[in-house]
Amino acid sequence: MKTTHLVIVALFMFGTWPAFAFDVSQINVGANPWAISIDPNTNRIFVTNFGNDSVSVIDGNTNTVIKQITVNDSPTGIVVNPDSGLVYVSRLSSHAVTVIDERTFTITSNITVGTQPNGLGLNPVTGYIYVTNMGDRTVSVIDGKTNSVIDTIQVQLRPTAVSVNPSTNTLYVTNSGSGTVSVINTNTNTVSNTIPTGKGPTDVAINLYSNTVYVTDSPTSQIFLIDAKNNTVLSKIPVGSNPDGVSIDYSKNRIFVANSGNGTVSVIDGNTRMATDVIPVGKHPFAIATNPLTGMTYTANDTPGIVYVISDNENSTSSLQQQLDAAKSLAETKTLDKRQSDDIQNAIVLAEIGIPIGFGVSVSIFIFKTKK
């Protein structure tokens, strides 16, 4: 059966955001790790290793590799569907996406897509998977129920990464060869807008609660902030050299950017839109992902094959629990107005179908579904 977990995290925004020191540890994986995806329900981290045609599976409780799965043909992108327990891996040189059962670590199917498949994105509500095909300027749409391609969307030159906003049924695709981001309406699978974003956008992440899109632009060493309501660029933030991956820590409203050119991770305050910290993490950090339940951030350093684990100097799980307790206490008081109280009840209803929703300026809702 499906069990829905409702996590309420308080985001207190009084004055400036507190500064944090960060602890960094490392995990050896395969050669040239390329992309990372996390299942928050099982606390497993999946890493594609481009250099030796494999996927490393990390246990987030112990930060050790528990399995290495051979997939062949230059694996690049990866995304896990926590609801189905299936992991999707794009294989750059075979025009295919491999499907792995997370419970057995076995390959269950291979799906033919476009030329040079790279980035993968998941809509957790529909179960659709989106694949950027760099070689033919398209995005393949996979139905997760049948694991078959149901549509192909034309975008621009060399699409690399993709991110989905299930609340607005919108898809964002970085076109690194055109210097743009394609905005796609997933109801019709058509491009509704094209946004100029530097010279070579590489990765994209969406803050579901502020409806802000973050796009790394490697050639200009900056990150673009896009207002998803009107698809306009809000600001550009200088970061480290050649930023590639980007991820969001919702519990503290922080954005992490992996700078492959100078071996660092930039930390951006989501409220002030300013870089607050720089974390050294080896020579060439590429992909990056954050577990929304633990607050741990993982970045892949492809020379050599290392995944760096970033945590602040608080115990992440304990900190999250303290925020959860504070939010519950706040929800029980009579200081919330009717709209906020109604939003809490609506969020519980929406949890059943997996749609995340925010309310007010002090509380956010996170939804995770588990299939048992």
Side-chain angles (χ1 to χ4, degrees):
M1 67 177 182
K2 294 181 180 178
T3 302
T4 302
H5 302 280
L6 176 64
V7 181
I8 306 174
V9 179
L11 300 177
F12 298 101
M13 303 177 185
F14 300 112
T16 59
W17 201 263
F20 293 92
F22 294 91
D23 296 323
V24 179
S25 58
Q26 63 186 55
I27 306 167
N28 293 322
V29 290
N32 305 112
W34 190 276
I36 303 172
S37 186
I38 299 172
D39 185 340
N41 291 325
T42 61
N43 198 16
R44 286 176 175 169
I45 298 89
F46 297 86
V47 184
T48 54
N49 303 304
F50 182 85
N52 68 343
D53 296 335
S54 69
V55 173
S56 294
V57 185
I58 298 170
D59 182 342
N61 298 311
T62 61
N63 282 334
T64 57
V65 175
I66 58 174
K67 190 71 175 180
Q68 185 159 296
I69 306 165
T70 300
V71 294
N72 298 320
D73 302 318
S74 310
T76 48
I78 190 165
V79 70
V80 57
N81 185 342
D83 195 24
S84 67
L86 297 179
V87 183
Y88 296 82
V89 181
S90 58
R91 292 154 51 201
L92 189 71
S93 59
S94 69
H95 319 310
V97 169
T98 290
V99 185
I100 300 171
D101 189 326
E102 179 184 355
R103 294 157 292 194
T104 61
F105 302 125
T106 57
I107 294 174
T108 60
S109 62
N110 290 288
I111 307 165
T112 300
V113 290
T115 305
Q116 295 182 325
N118 187 42
L120 288 166
L122 167 74
N123 186 325
V125 177
T126 64
Y128 287 175
I129 297 92
Y130 300 88
V131 189
T132 61
N133 303 304
M134 294 192 298
D136 58 16
R137 308 183 187 187
T138 63
V139 174
S140 297
V141 184
I142 297 172
D143 185 339
K145 294 179 181 178
T146 61
N147 283 332
S148 59
V149 175
I150 59 172
D151 206 349
T152 302
I153 307 166
Q154 191 75 37
V155 286
Q156 294 193 333
L157 183 62
R158 201 170 176 79
T160 53
V162 58
S163 190
V164 186
N165 188 336
S167 299
T168 61
N169 296 312
T170 308
L171 194 70
Y172 298 86
V173 177
T174 54
N175 303 302
S176 62
S178 301
T180 61
V181 169
S182 293
V183 184
I184 296 170
N185 182 336
T186 60
N187 292 316
T188 60
N189 286 337
T190 56
V191 176
S192 60
N193 209 320
T194 302
I195 308 169
T197 51
K199 297 180 179 179
T202 48
D203 199 12
V204 57
I206 302 171
N207 188 326
L208 298 177
Y209 302 104
S210 65
N211 207 16
T212 305
V213 181
Y214 301 88
V215 178
T216 54
D217 189 61
S218 185
T220 62
S221 297
Q222 58 188 348
I223 184 167
F224 283 70
L225 273 64
I226 297 171
D227 183 348
K229 293 179 181 178
N230 52 25
N231 292 320
T232 57
V233 175
L234 293 170
S235 61
K236 307 170 190 177
I237 303 173
V239 287
S241 176
N242 302 119
D244 282 301
V246 57
S247 70
I248 299 171
D249 177 2
Y250 284 101
S251 68
K252 294 183 175 69
N253 197 18
R254 298 184 297 202
I255 298 88
F256 290 89
V257 181
N259 305 305
S260 63
N262 65 351
T264 64
V265 169
S266 296
V267 184
I268 296 171
D269 184 328
N271 297 312
T272 64
R273 300 174 185 169
M274 296 179 62
T276 60
D277 292 275
V278 177
I279 308 168
V281 285
K283 295 181 180 179
H284 191 224
F286 189 64
I288 195 164
T290 302
N291 187 326
L293 288 185
T294 66
M296 305 291 279
T297 296
Y298 300 82
T299 184
N301 194 314
D302 72 352
T303 310
I306 293 174
V307 167
Y308 286 88
V309 186
I310 301 170
S311 60
D312 56 44
N313 57 6
E314 302 170 328
N315 180 282
S316 297
T317 303
S318 173
S319 174
L320 191 61
Q321 185 61 49
Q322 290 171 1
Q323 293 177 332
L324 173 60
D325 292 341
K328 287 181 176 178
S329 176
L330 178 64
E332 292 170 356
T333 70
K334 296 182 179 180
T335 58
L336 296 177
D337 60 32
K338 184 179 184 301
R339 181 184 60 81
Q340 291 172 321
S341 298
D342 288 345
D343 281 343
I344 294 175
Q345 298 304 316
N346 290 338
I348 295 172
V349 174
L350 288 172
E352 293 301 323
I353 58 174
I355 298 178
I357 172 175
F359 58 92
V361 295
S362 57
V363 181
S364 293
I365 300 287
F366 296 89
I367 312 303
F368 302 100
K369 296 197 297 182
T370 308
K371 191 174 184 180
K372 294 183 180 179

